[in-house]
Amino acid sequence: MPFTKLAIVLAAATLPLAAAIAQDRYEGAGATQEMDCGGQGATIVGASNIMTVTGACRTLVIEGAGNRVTVDLAPRATIRITGASNQVVWRTPDRSKPRVSVTGAGNRVSMAR
């Protein structure tokens, strides 16, 4: 009986922790999805994805082609793109511009209006 109670208490204690873990990486193609970087970084690897990334990201990394990403960034964030024809629309709470590094052709990075 004490073991059962302990197992239930331990299982219940882990639920809030599991819900608080932010998704920070997506790999795939052709998806429409939301991610939460939880104030850390987000990485998107793949092609033709439509992603909305929330959580005041410090970094956004995109590796692939034809991705369309809208992202909430922390001030002084970094965007790094490797690939072709990716589109990133970003916003920051203070309207500060992120550092941007782009390798590839046809990529566009702009501030949300």
Side-chain angles (χ1 to χ4, degrees):
M1 190 78 142
F3 176 74
T4 304
K5 287 181 182 178
L6 178 61
I8 292 170
V9 169
L10 289 175
T14 61
L15 289 177
L17 179 60
I21 294 173
Q23 178 182 0
D24 63 355
R25 184 174 180 89
Y26 174 81
E27 294 184 27
T32 298
Q33 188 166 332
E34 294 185 15
M35 296 174 62
D36 181 354
C37 70
Q40 300 301 313
T43 301
I44 299 166
V45 179
S48 302
N49 296 297
I50 300 171
M51 308 294 287
T52 301
V53 185
T54 60
C57 303
R58 293 182 194 167
T59 61
L60 173 66
V61 176
I62 299 174
E63 298 173 358
N67 296 292
R68 294 188 315 190
V69 180
T70 302
V71 60
D72 292 327
L73 296 173
R76 298 178 305 281
T78 301
I79 298 172
R80 188 172 69 236
I81 301 172
T82 304
S85 302
N86 295 291
Q87 176 183 345
V88 175
V89 176
W90 58 268
R91 67 182 139 264
T92 57
D94 62 356
R95 300 181 60 82
S96 62
K97 293 182 180 180
R99 293 172 294 231
V100 178
S101 169
V102 178
T103 303
N107 296 297
R108 295 186 320 205
V109 178
S110 60
M111 183 172 68
R113 296 176 190 213

